[in-house]
Amino acid sequence: MEFNGNIENRTYKWFNQLLLGLVFTSITLMGYAQHKNFVMIDKSMSEKELVKIAANIVPSPQQLRWQRLELTGFIHFGINTFTGNEWGDGKEDPKLFNPTELDARQWVKSCKEAGIKQVILTAKHHDGFCLWPTKFTEHSVKNSSWKEGKGDVVKEVADACKEMEVGFGVYLSPWDMNNVSYGTDAYNDFFINQLTELLTQYGQIDEVWFDGANGEGPNGKKQVYDFERWFAHIRKLQPQAVIAVSGPDVRWVGTETGHGREEEWSVVPMGKNNITTEGSQTKVDQAPAGDMRGQVLGSRAQLKEGDALKWYPAETDVSIRPGWFYHESEDKKVKTPEYLKEIYFNSVGRNGVLLLNIPPDKRGLITDYDTTSLKVWREKLNHIFAENLLKEAKAVGAVKKNKNLLDGNDSTYYFLPIKKNKNIVEIDLKEEKTFNVLLLQENITVGQRVEKFVFEYWKNGEWKKATEGTTIGFKRLLEFPSVSASKVRLRILSSRLKPALSEIGLYFDK
């Protein structure tokens, strides 16, 4: 080939652009490397190194979408609804399942009006009874009296969620007291087959929910669950879905009270140091091992206890009734709107996502007892958070030109210095106002960093404490005795690197 000056010039420009592209890519990857979802660690790392790693671990896109939901709904419905049991035994007659007025739209509408943004249906509970006409077992709605065996509850709920623009998830119990293959390798194949049906026949699935129940099957044996295979299958068929709570994306908060921890870290240590056998977490999608119900899970002292650090946030589950399935005897025991408000503050307001169970009755409807409580609860929350008293306030000092803390957008943020006397957000309310609720948020796409803070108000020539707390995370809500003041400030007392504060709000719960 004959070369000339023009070709040489074009070649030089092309090479230069390629080189610049490679440099830019390298810089981008270096930046990404500092903000991962999962990082392996070792025993030789100092506390300073571990804290820096933990401060830069962030949620995956799936986890971030899930966290922003704040409120999700659980629908426990199945053969237990008709037998009166909480846990069936797999020996039930499928013909017992016969909801005469089933209305999935009423379920989803009731949830949406309460502010719930995603619904998870118990497609199969421990009894093995399936709410869809699965090809792989006879213990399902296809042999029920409902719609002469031609009904599909999963489809009706999925369709209602799609229509009302509410997220849809499925609970599929790993434990199956009905299936004869449970306790053998064949059961894992059976489970994959059922997963495939659920993940390919009903459109987008936003959450797949497994619990940790693992008892005996018909043959008296317990199953060794092939979680890693199941997780990979979900990632392949529904990559946008989060996998909870015996899963790699979301963990169980540890109780069923609706109350999260006072100090709730989303970054937690996984596995045990220097253990590479059973019980070690060395893969991002490996089933988490060990008891994660401690009072605190991700403190500085605990970071060194794992073989990896992972963004692994807490889902806080509770039922609106004493039980998880509907029982007529519990109609007068539905949680009050006041108690649901307390649950909200102690779940969503403690860096968690609330999973509230609302079980339909034998008719296939959510009762008026439940819907009334949900409606008044939503009205209470709307009333409390209707007006941020800081909306027209003026930031003072270093943050005075920064609007990100008061723009109502959790994607924007302000990097707060952590040096003494500079770790302060001071705000002038312009006039005296009365308040008793504090809202704080960090931008978790940068990381969760705040370890301790105090909120103060100016009165009689001095700063006085209104309230204090430990972690913030995605959202922190604190109630305190009513205070009237015209000037307030937030002081960060301890943090892992510079905290990226995204929102601050003051409200008055009359």
Side-chain angles (χ1 to χ4, degrees), residues 342-373:
E342 179 186 319
I343 286 173
Y344 178 84
F345 270 73
N346 286 281
S347 54
V348 175
R350 286 186 171 180
N351 190 34
V353 168
L354 175 60
L355 178 61
L356 179 64
N357 180 62
I358 309 156
D361 62 15
K362 291 181 180 181
R363 298 171 301 169
L365 298 173
I366 295 173
T367 74
D368 291 343
Y369 298 100
D370 305 74
T371 56
T372 299
S373 189

Side-chain angles (χ1 to χ4, degrees), residues 57-97:
I57 291 177
V58 298
S60 67
Q62 298 97 323
Q63 289 171 319
L64 180 62
R65 182 204 67 82
W66 171 86
Q67 189 84 53
R68 284 175 167 159
L69 294 172
E70 295 193 1
L71 294 175
T72 53
F74 224 168
I75 303 291
H76 272 67
F77 188 66
I79 199 74
N80 291 340
T81 308
F82 299 89
T83 62
N85 294 325
E86 280 292 298
W87 283 20
D89 59 11
K91 299 176 182 177
E92 303 86 359
D93 182 350
K95 294 194 183 322
L96 291 173
F97 184 85

Side-chain angles (χ1 to χ4, degrees), residues 192 195-196 199 229-238:
I192 283 286
L195 265 179
T196 302
L199 301 182
R229 180 186 174 195
W230 301 352
F231 298 163
H233 200 57
I234 297 167
R235 296 290 192 225
K236 177 182 177 182
L237 297 178
Q238 295 281 352

Side-chain angles (χ1 to χ4, degrees), residues 215-231:
E216 295 180 355
N219 59 8
K221 295 181 180 180
K222 289 186 178 182
Q223 181 69 34
V224 177
Y225 300 141
D226 194 352
F227 277 119
E228 193 168 341
R229 180 186 174 195
W230 301 352
F231 298 163

Side-chain angles (χ1 to χ4, degrees), residues 229-296:
R229 180 186 174 195
W230 301 352
F231 298 163
H233 200 57
I234 297 167
R235 296 290 192 225
K236 177 182 177 182
L237 297 178
Q238 295 281 352
Q240 76 291 329
V242 294
I243 309 173
V245 292
S246 286
D249 297 326
V250 174
R251 62 181 160 84
W252 180 43
V253 76
T255 72
E256 293 180 346
T257 64
H259 289 62
R261 296 172 180 80
E262 158 64 27
E263 183 176 344
E264 185 63 74
W265 288 102
S266 293
V267 177
V268 296
M270 310 297 294
K272 295 180 180 179
N273 248 326
N274 299 325
I275 295 178
T276 56
T277 56
E278 186 177 356
S280 175
Q281 171 99 2
T282 57
K283 298 178 182 178
V284 67
D285 266 359
Q286 187 172 331
D291 189 344
M292 302 198 75
R293 292 177 292 177
Q295 192 170 2
V296 180

Side-chain angles (χ1 to χ4, degrees), residues 388-405:
N388 183 355
L389 299 176
L390 298 179
K391 186 177 181 181
E392 304 300 328
K394 179 182 178 182
V396 178
V399 297
K400 64 183 178 181
K401 294 182 180 180
N402 194 291
K403 306 292 185 182
N404 292 343
L405 296 178

Side-chain angles (χ1 to χ4, degrees), residues 101-375:
E101 301 176 50
L102 191 148
D103 186 354
R105 294 185 76 262
Q106 187 248 6
W107 304 357
V108 178
K109 184 172 183 286
S110 298
C111 289
K112 184 173 183 176
E113 289 177 348
I116 290 168
K117 297 175 183 176
Q118 181 169 291
V119 168
I120 300 171
L121 174 68
T122 55
K124 182 188 79 168
H125 205 255
H126 310 326
D127 49 70
F129 184 81
C130 298
L131 293 183
W132 77 103
T134 174
K135 297 177 181 177
F136 300 100
T137 179
E138 296 304 307
H139 203 48
S140 82
V141 290
K142 68 184 180 184
N143 289 314
S144 72
S145 301
W146 178 59
K147 293 190 174 182
E148 298 180 343
K150 294 179 175 60
D152 187 337
V153 182
V154 177
K155 184 178 188 305
E156 295 198 18
V157 178
D159 289 349
C161 286
K162 183 177 181 180
E163 176 189 339
M164 299 183 201
E165 298 183 331
V166 171
F168 177 59
V170 292
Y171 164 109
L172 188 65
S173 170
W175 187 11
D176 191 319
M177 299 187 201
N178 176 269
N179 195 273
V180 294
S181 70
Y182 186 87
T184 71
D185 290 341
Y187 179 76
N188 285 313
D189 295 330
F190 166 80
F191 200 85
I192 283 286
N193 288 334
Q194 291 208 311
L195 265 179
T196 302
E197 289 181 325
L198 291 173
L199 301 182
T200 59
Q201 297 177 4
Y202 301 101
Q204 180 168 309
I205 305 297
D206 298 296
E207 186 166 347
V208 180
W209 210 97
F210 301 132
D211 60 25
N214 186 351
E216 295 180 355
N219 59 8
K221 295 181 180 180
K222 289 186 178 182
Q223 181 69 34
V224 177
Y225 300 141
D226 194 352
F227 277 119
E228 193 168 341
R229 180 186 174 195
W230 301 352
F231 298 163
H233 200 57
I234 297 167
R235 296 290 192 225
K236 177 182 177 182
L237 297 178
Q238 295 281 352
Q240 76 291 329
V242 294
I243 309 173
V245 292
S246 286
D249 297 326
V250 174
R251 62 181 160 84
W252 180 43
V253 76
T255 72
E256 293 180 346
T257 64
H259 289 62
R261 296 172 180 80
E262 158 64 27
E263 183 176 344
E264 185 63 74
W265 288 102
S266 293
V267 177
V268 296
M270 310 297 294
K272 295 180 180 179
N273 248 326
N274 299 325
I275 295 178
T276 56
T277 56
E278 186 177 356
S280 175
Q281 171 99 2
T282 57
K283 298 178 182 178
V284 67
D285 266 359
Q286 187 172 331
D291 189 344
M292 302 198 75
R293 292 177 292 177
Q295 192 170 2
V296 180
L297 295 182
S299 68
R300 287 191 180 217
Q302 292 171 314
L303 293 178
K304 65 180 182 296
E305 295 176 358
D307 50 29
L309 296 178
K310 179 180 176 64
W311 188 276
Y312 197 34
E315 188 171 66
T316 311
D317 60 330
V318 67
S319 182
I320 198 170
R321 291 164 169 259
W324 290 87
F325 286 91
Y326 173 82
H327 308 290
E328 187 177 358
S329 61
E330 296 176 353
D331 280 348
K332 300 295 179 63
K333 297 178 181 179
V334 172
K335 289 178 173 58
T336 64
E338 292 76 15
Y339 191 54
L340 288 176
K341 190 208 86 169
E342 179 186 319
I343 286 173
Y344 178 84
F345 270 73
N346 286 281
S347 54
V348 175
R350 286 186 171 180
N351 190 34
V353 168
L354 175 60
L355 178 61
L356 179 64
N357 180 62
I358 309 156
D361 62 15
K362 291 181 180 181
R363 298 171 301 169
L365 298 173
I366 295 173
T367 74
D368 291 343
Y369 298 100
D370 305 74
T371 56
T372 299
S373 189
L374 289 170
K375 180 181 178 181

